[in-house]
Amino acid sequence: DMKKENQKALPLLALLLAGALAFGALFGAVMYGAYDHIQGEPRLMVILGCQVKPWGPSILLQDRLDTALAYLQDHPDMTVVACGGQGADEPESEAQAIADYLTENGVSKRNILLDEDSHNTHQNLENAAKLLSEENMDPAQTQVVVVSNGFHLTRARMLAQRCGFDEVSTLAAPESHLPSRLKMYLREPLALVKSFMVDR
C-alpha cells in the first residue's frame, strides 16, 4: 500500500518540481533585467506609471521619479513620456502626477508628453510609441530609455521592442518599500508569462 501511495505521489512531485524550476527560470530572467543598461545616447525617456496616492506618488513611483530626475539633470533636453491613466482610487492620472513632480523639480513642461489613457505596461509603451509618431519621430529610429523599478524592466524591455522601439535602454529605480519589493518580485515572473502570451 505504501508503495502504491508513493507511486501516486510521484507525478505530483514531478509537477511541483517542474513548476518550481519554471518559476526559478522566470525569476532569473526578471533578476537579469533588473539593472541600468544604457546604450548609445537615448533621446527619449519613458517613465512607466505606478499608483498615485491621495497625498502624491506612491513610494514605488517616487523611486522611479527620483531615478529619472537624476538622469535628466545630465540630459536636460530629453523628451519625456509620462505614462499612466487614472485608476478608480487615484486622485489624478499617473501621467499628470509624474509631469507635476518633474516640473516642480526643474524639468521643462515643453519636454513632457502625457499618456493619460493607459492602464498597463503594454498600453504605456504602445501609447508612448504613438505619441512619438505624432511628434514626427520614428520609434524604430529613436533610442529610448525606459524608467521603472528593477523588477519591471525585463518585461518592459520585451514590450517596448514589440511596440516598435529597436534600441531600448533601461534605468532601474530601487524599491524602497520592502513589502512592495517582495510582492512584486514574486508576481513579476507570472506577469512576464502573461505579457509574453497576451500583450501583442
Side-chain angles (χ1 to χ4, degrees):
D1 284 351
M2 192 73 158
K3 194 174 177 183
K4 278 182 185 172
E5 278 180 29
N6 285 343
Q7 283 173 340
K8 279 182 190 170
L10 278 173
L12 181 63
L13 283 172
L15 198 62
L16 287 171
L17 183 60
L21 287 171
F23 185 86
L26 290 163
F27 185 79
V30 169
M31 293 303 292
Y32 178 75
Y35 63 95
D36 290 355
H37 175 78
I38 305 292
Q39 55 187 24
E41 288 289 327
R43 294 171 55 203
L44 177 76
M45 174 182 281
V46 177
I47 304 173
L48 298 179
C50 193
Q51 190 173 29
V52 177
K53 301 285 191 183
W55 54 86
S58 61
I59 295 173
L60 284 178
L61 184 53
Q62 183 85 50
D63 288 334
R64 295 178 193 189
L65 293 170
D66 290 340
T67 299
L69 279 171
Y71 191 83
L72 289 168
Q73 280 174 354
D74 295 327
H75 307 83
D77 298 325
M78 289 187 85
T79 299
V80 181
V81 180
C83 294
Q86 182 175 1
D89 58 347
E90 292 178 307
E92 62 180 344
S93 74
E94 293 166 9
Q96 190 61 58
I98 290 169
D100 290 347
Y101 190 89
L102 294 179
T103 52
E104 282 161 18
N105 285 278
V107 177
S108 170
K109 192 177 270 188
R110 70 173 181 271
N111 289 352
I112 302 172
L113 303 174
L114 291 185
D115 152 38
E116 295 187 277
D117 299 320
S118 59
H119 294 282
N120 59 45
T121 306
H122 185 233
Q123 290 173 8
N124 285 172
L125 292 156
E126 209 169 37
N127 289 354
K130 281 180 196 162
L131 285 169
L132 205 60
S133 297
E134 287 165 14
E135 297 288 313
N136 296 315
M137 295 165 79
D138 179 2
Q141 301 296 320
T142 305
Q143 296 181 359
V144 59
V145 58
V146 177
V147 183
S148 192
N149 306 93
F151 64 79
H152 201 190
L153 290 174
T154 295
R155 185 158 58 100
R157 177 188 291 278
M158 175 187 76
L159 292 172
Q161 287 167 338
R162 281 190 184 173
C163 292
F165 293 104
D166 282 349
E167 296 190 56
V168 183
S169 297
T170 52
L171 268 183
E175 297 96 16
S176 302
H177 189 242
L178 184 60
S180 293
R181 187 191 316 172
L182 294 171
K183 181 175 136 191
M184 292 302 181
Y185 273 105
L186 286 172
R187 199 193 82 163
E188 191 61 24
L190 304 175
L192 188 58
V193 173
K194 178 195 161 284
S195 277
F196 181 77
M197 304 292 285
V198 174
D199 294 330
R200 295 186 179 277

